[in-house]
Amino acid sequence: MHITSTNNARIKNVVRLSNNRRHREDLQQTVVEGSREVRRCLDAGIIPAEIYICPELVAAEDQDLVERLNSQFSIRNSQPAARPPQLATVAPDIFAKIAVREESGGILLVIPYTPTDLAQLPLSALPFLVVVEGAEKPGNVGAILRTADAAGVDGLILCSGGTDLHNPNVIRASLGTRFTVPVAEASIDEVIGWLRHHQITSIAATPDAMVRYTAVDLSGPVAIITGSEAHGLSQKWLHAADRQVTIPMYGVADSLNLATSTALMLYEVVRQRSGIAK
């Protein structure tokens, strides 16, 4: 199928999925764009519901990805009981309509929601988690996912609402690590109980703490807890956390960007676990 009209019902639906959280939740679907993001999505075993390709915009180095999509999800290669993804080519102006950002590489997927149940979050023998309360900006959540992937974190937990983990901008800002880092969403009470059940020490980052983040033992089972960009951590988290730590500030600013402060905390865990002397 080749689509040339912006009035096409499928095109309108993709635009709504990109821009409307309620529509995503109603359909339990979201959008993935960009060749790197699409590759990591497919590598994670996710089967798209719809595939859109703009041949004129696909770079030479990504032709193998187009071939992969065509071969893996062709009707003849689908399982008898499985419904194959709907694959369509689109004109450049149509792709510009459905792409969240420019320079998306000419490939876009509509995929089903992935599970975010806390009970399904896998744990290693030495658990290492990051919990973010009330994150407001998709770009920050995406950046935290990139850091979590690089630092070898077991999983990311979002609590108290905030940014939708299925927001296409989270996926894009994460460079596809949204599909490599296990994620969960739960209430504060659920997360606190779950961490205590698994005997995981919770470390809350707050500007008001008296102890530096480098002065606390982070080598055991640990969850780094960071708060929203505007309000920081709630009193409930500050009271429930096993330890409170601060990142020293020497300028006029009283706090760091959420993604930056979280990255510092996560890599302090990496540093301590690597055996490097303090």
Side-chain angles (χ1 to χ4, degrees):
M1 176 188 297
H2 183 65
I3 299 175
T4 59
S5 173
T6 57
N7 289 321
N8 182 281
R10 289 175 57 181
I11 297 303
K12 290 182 176 180
N13 180 63
V14 174
V15 173
R16 288 190 68 194
L17 286 172
S18 296
N19 299 327
N20 190 306
R21 180 172 184 171
R22 178 169 292 183
H23 188 61
R24 291 195 296 271
E25 291 174 349
D26 287 343
L27 296 186
Q28 294 288 287
Q29 291 180 329
T30 190
V31 173
V32 180
E33 61 176 288
S35 59
R36 178 165 38 193
E37 292 81 354
V38 167
R39 288 181 192 277
R40 288 174 176 165
C41 175
L42 297 177
D43 289 344
I46 296 173
I47 299 176
E50 300 173 12
I51 301 168
Y52 296 91
I53 300 171
C54 179
E56 295 91 338
L57 298 179
V58 178
E61 61 267 24
D62 292 325
Q63 290 299 327
D64 67 308
L65 183 55
V66 174
E67 294 173 5
R68 175 180 178 180
L69 288 165
N70 279 307
S71 62
Q72 185 173 348
F73 299 115
S74 66
I75 294 177
R76 66 177 179 274
N77 288 339
S78 300
Q79 296 296 321
R83 180 181 178 181
Q86 300 180 57
L87 193 154
T89 57
V90 298
D93 61 321
I94 306 301
F95 193 84
K97 179 77 173 179
I98 60 177
V100 177
R101 298 183 182 180
E102 297 179 359
E103 303 301 327
S104 295
I107 302 172
L108 181 147
L109 309 179
V110 173
I111 65 167
Y113 269 21
T114 52
T116 57
D117 297 333
L118 185 59
Q120 296 182 9
L121 200 66
L123 291 176
S124 64
L126 187 61
F128 178 17
L129 299 157
V130 56
V131 179
V132 182
E133 179 188 22
E136 300 164 359
K137 299 178 181 178
N140 275 338
V141 175
I144 290 170
L145 282 164
R146 289 175 63 182
T147 303
D149 174 83
V153 168
D154 289 340
L156 165 68
I157 304 171
L158 292 189
C159 57
S160 295
T163 292
D164 171 21
L165 270 170
H166 299 284
N167 187 315
N169 284 313
V170 170
I171 298 171
R172 188 64 189 268
S174 78
L175 299 184
T177 56
R178 168 64 178 79
F179 305 112
T180 64
V181 177
V183 295
E185 296 175 290
S187 69
I188 296 176
D189 290 334
E190 288 174 318
V191 178
I192 291 171
W194 186 83
L195 292 175
R196 289 175 177 169
H197 174 74
H198 290 283
Q199 299 182 314
I200 299 171
T201 301
S202 54
I203 308 294
T206 171
D208 298 325
M210 302 301 293
V211 180
R212 293 190 180 193
Y213 74 110
T214 54
V216 174
D217 183 5
L218 304 175
S219 60
V222 67
I224 300 301
I225 320 295
T226 56
S228 73
E229 297 89 338
H231 307 293
L233 284 172
S234 64
Q235 287 300 311
K236 179 175 282 191
W237 260 121
L238 293 175
H239 289 312
D242 295 303
R243 296 293 302 269
Q244 294 183 21
V245 298
T246 188
I247 298 170
M249 306 290 296
Y250 299 109
V252 296
D254 60 359
S255 64
L256 294 172
N257 169 272
L258 172 60
T260 302
S261 59
T262 303
L264 286 171
M265 295 286 294
L266 296 185
Y267 266 90
E268 177 60 18
V269 177
V270 173
R271 185 184 73 86
Q272 292 191 21
R273 289 185 173 188
S274 69
I276 299 174
K278 295 183 180 179

